[in-house]
């Protein structure tokens, strides 16, 4: 019985247009391609690490992390045999820490189930923790020269404009169309270089705002340009609804050391260590204009602010929470620092207070806890704001 073939979408270009697009893009990329440390290495492991790091993170932010990570874990075997805490320490500040934990788990799976080699099919790659359809296609095409389609933020924008697609590119129908286009677009020869050219064109020319159509090698195949709609497409995403939180982090001092608690699965920053904290206030979600930032979306944004007064009820809640989570009872003291911190859909006002222990033991908490001298905090994988607090403590010792 013959296999049913999905009807060709009317927006998909003809074969002749695809040939023109491929040849024009290749010529452009020879002169304009970006020089990135993970390009041209021919190593699927390095491609995989770079692609996981680049998820929701800018190239500029990833570059130094990638180089440090590969220096410490040059092969999948090195990564698989490491401790998760060491992986998290090298990942610290890059954000979305589940990526690091999945990378570590996947490395162990590759060593145990695939003889230390990344699988060589897109389907098998997608079975690894943290590897989705795009990442599998990137590993296959960049690192193994296998013709595999890609669709990420840059190419989503590029394809939407080329096709003149007026719908939501993130909807089921939109994704089906764009992936279909990506599948017919990728060539059998040099698929990795071609896919990199697509990403570079989207990142440097076909940008979200102010696209540089005068520098584009493909205006003759771009329906958005031909209809003067390049500034309208793709349709913008709906603004996120942001919840404002107030949290208290407690710095407990004892004999020259401070108390840390390891964040547990299901908590923010799972696997990292942090100064014990509690949410004490929350607003209803509201739509807030996104703030510009040089950091990547996943890393959040942290700013210092002048200290303010504390609500007595909040201090009581913080004390009770600390006792339940760490087993240590304390007497809250002065306000050390106030930070604002943005993580995904939360804007967090973080009040950092000092405290002195008055009883209890850390082996009676709900998670691993430890006393660490401030000068030893550099070796501990901390949350983003935890690292800021650590630096504040060290500065106070100078």
């Amino acid at each position: 019985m013959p296999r049913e073939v999905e009807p060709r979408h009317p927006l998909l270009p003809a074969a002749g247009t695809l040939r023109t697009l491929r040849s024009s893009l290749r010529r452009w990329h020879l002169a304009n391609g970006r020089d990135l440390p993970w390009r041209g290495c021919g190593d699927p492991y390095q491609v995989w690490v770079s692609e996981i790091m680049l998820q929701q993170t800018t190239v500029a932010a990833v570059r130094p992390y990638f180089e440090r990570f590969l220096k410490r874990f040059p092969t999948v075997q090195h990564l698989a045999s490491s401790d998760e805490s060491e992986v998290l320490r090298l990942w610290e500040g890059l954000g979305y820490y589940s990526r690091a934990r999945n990378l570590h788990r996947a490395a162990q799976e590759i060593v145990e189930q695939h003889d230390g080699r990344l699988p060589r099919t897109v389907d098998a790659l997608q079975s690894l923790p943290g590897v989705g359809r795009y990442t599998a296609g990137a590993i296959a095409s960049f690192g193994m020269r296998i013709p595999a389609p890609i669709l990420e933020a840059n190419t989503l924008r590029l394809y939407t404009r080329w096709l003149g697609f007026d719908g939501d590119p993130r909807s089921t129908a939109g994704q089906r169309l764009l992936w279909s286009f990506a599948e017919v677009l990728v060539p059998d020869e040099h698929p990795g270089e071609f896919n990199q050219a697509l990403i570079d064109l989207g990142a440097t020319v076909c940008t979200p705002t102010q696209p540089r159509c005068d520098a584009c090698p493909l205006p003759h195949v771009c329906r958005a340009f031909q209809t003067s709609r390049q500034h309208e497409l793709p349709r913008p995403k709906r603004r996120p609804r942001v919840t404002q939180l107030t949290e208290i982090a407690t710095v407990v001092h004892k004999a020259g050391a401070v108390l840390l608690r390891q964040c547990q699965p299901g908590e923010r920053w799972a696997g990292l260590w942090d100064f014990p904290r509690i949410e004490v206030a929350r607003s209803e979600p509201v739509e807030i204009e996104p703030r510009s930032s040089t950091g990547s979306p996943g890393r959040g944004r942290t700013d210092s602010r002048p200290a303010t007064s504390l609500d007595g009820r909040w201090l009581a809640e913080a004390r009770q929470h600390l006792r339940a989570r760490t087993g240590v009872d304390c007497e809250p003291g002065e306000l050390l620092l106030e930070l604002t911190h943005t993580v995904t859909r939360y804007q967090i006002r973080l009040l950092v207070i000092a405290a002195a222990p008055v009883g209890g033991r850390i082996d009676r908490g709900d998670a691993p806890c430890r006393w660490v001298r401030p000068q030893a905090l550099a070796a501990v994988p901390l949350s983003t704001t935890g690292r800021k607090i650590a630096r504040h403590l060290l500065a106070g010792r100078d």
Side-chain angles (χ1 to χ4, degrees):
M1 184 175 181
R3 182 173 62 89
E4 291 187 7
V5 178
E6 186 175 345
R8 183 180 179 85
H9 196 286
L11 287 182
L12 293 180
T17 302
L18 290 175
R19 286 193 294 269
T20 300
L21 191 157
R22 293 187 189 114
S23 60
S24 297
L25 184 61
R26 279 174 170 150
R27 286 195 299 270
W28 174 85
H29 197 241
L30 286 173
N32 299 280
R34 293 179 295 175
D35 183 18
L36 300 175
W38 46 84
R39 289 273 176 92
C41 63
D43 183 351
Y45 170 68
Q46 293 191 27
V47 172
W48 171 46
V49 171
S50 71
E51 289 299 333
I52 297 299
M53 287 187 170
L54 286 164
Q55 291 172 2
Q56 297 180 288
T57 308
T58 64
V59 167
V62 163
R63 190 187 292 262
Y65 281 89
F66 175 80
E67 292 170 348
R68 286 196 299 268
F69 200 90
L70 264 293
K71 185 177 180 179
R72 174 61 188 87
F73 307 120
T75 67
V76 69
Q77 288 81 5
H78 286 88
L79 178 57
S81 62
S82 66
D83 291 331
E84 184 183 272
S85 62
E86 188 177 8
V87 177
L88 291 172
R89 179 65 185 93
L90 283 175
W91 201 275
E92 185 184 305
L94 199 57
Y96 293 107
Y97 292 96
S98 61
R99 296 180 298 172
R101 292 190 294 273
N102 283 333
L103 195 69
H104 187 230
R105 286 173 48 219
Q108 294 173 332
E109 188 172 308
I110 290 167
V111 169
E112 293 169 2
Q113 301 180 22
H114 300 280
D115 296 323
R117 298 174 182 269
L118 271 80
R120 293 192 60 84
T121 69
V122 170
D123 288 344
L125 285 165
Q126 284 186 258
S127 71
L128 297 174
V131 176
R133 187 175 181 182
Y134 161 73
T135 302
I139 297 168
S141 62
F142 301 161
M144 304 174 183
R145 299 183 179 180
I146 296 171
I150 60 168
L151 180 63
E152 41 73 70
N154 290 303
T155 49
L156 178 145
R157 182 170 59 256
L158 204 63
Y159 300 164
T160 299
R161 287 172 176 167
W162 282 350
L163 297 174
F165 178 57
D166 193 48
D168 180 359
R170 300 161 196 87
S171 66
T172 301
Q175 287 286 296
R176 185 183 300 116
L177 169 64
L178 298 183
W179 275 109
S180 296
F181 182 46
E183 287 171 353
V184 300
L185 186 60
V186 63
D188 291 332
E189 296 184 358
H190 309 294
E193 290 87 343
F194 182 79
N195 281 342
Q196 288 169 351
L198 290 168
I199 293 174
D200 284 358
L201 185 65
T204 63
V205 175
C206 196
T207 51
T209 59
Q210 304 299 321
R212 299 168 50 224
C213 298
D214 57 330
C216 180
L218 298 163
H220 51 291
V221 302
C222 180
R223 290 172 180 161
F225 175 77
Q226 292 166 2
T227 57
S228 300
R229 302 191 64 203
Q230 64 269 38
H231 298 285
E232 301 174 16
L233 301 178
R235 295 289 185 186
K237 290 191 292 186
R238 185 177 179 181
R239 247 180 232 166
R241 291 176 63 81
V242 177
T243 299
Q244 295 179 324
L245 306 179
T246 299
E247 296 181 347
I248 290 179
T250 306
V251 180
V252 184
H253 295 267
K254 178 183 178 182
V258 292
L259 179 62
L260 296 181
R261 175 184 177 274
Q262 189 174 37
C263 303
Q264 296 301 289
E267 298 177 5
R268 196 186 306 144
W269 302 307
L272 299 178
W273 293 81
D274 197 15
F275 298 90
R277 66 180 68 201
I278 180 177
E279 177 189 318
V280 291
R282 174 184 294 236
S283 73
E284 290 297 318
V286 294
E287 290 187 1
I288 296 179
E289 187 71 31
R291 296 186 294 181
S292 61
S293 171
T294 56
S296 69
R299 298 170 70 192
R301 183 166 182 250
T302 309
D303 300 305
S304 297
R305 283 188 175 183
T308 58
S309 60
L310 286 166
D311 188 313
R313 293 171 299 177
W314 293 354
L315 292 177
E317 286 182 40
R319 181 173 185 174
Q320 182 180 6
H321 174 84
L322 184 87
R323 187 165 53 243
R325 287 296 178 92
T326 69
V328 175
D329 190 18
C330 70
E331 185 66 42
E334 65 177 337
L335 180 65
L336 299 175
L337 185 65
E338 180 176 345
L339 305 171
T340 58
H341 181 51
T342 302
V343 179
T344 58
R345 59 186 180 89
Y346 297 102
Q347 285 188 346
I348 303 167
R349 176 191 178 209
L350 180 63
L351 306 173
V352 184
I353 64 171
V358 295
R361 292 176 6 198
I362 60 173
D363 59 355
R364 295 179 178 175
D366 67 350
C369 297
R370 58 197 286 199
W371 295 100
V372 181
R373 294 188 176 278
Q375 58 268 32
L377 289 171
V380 180
L382 296 174
S383 69
T384 302
T385 45
R387 182 61 60 195
K388 279 192 166 285
I389 296 169
R391 289 174 183 151
H392 178 81
L393 296 175
L394 287 172
R397 294 170 60 88
D398 296 338

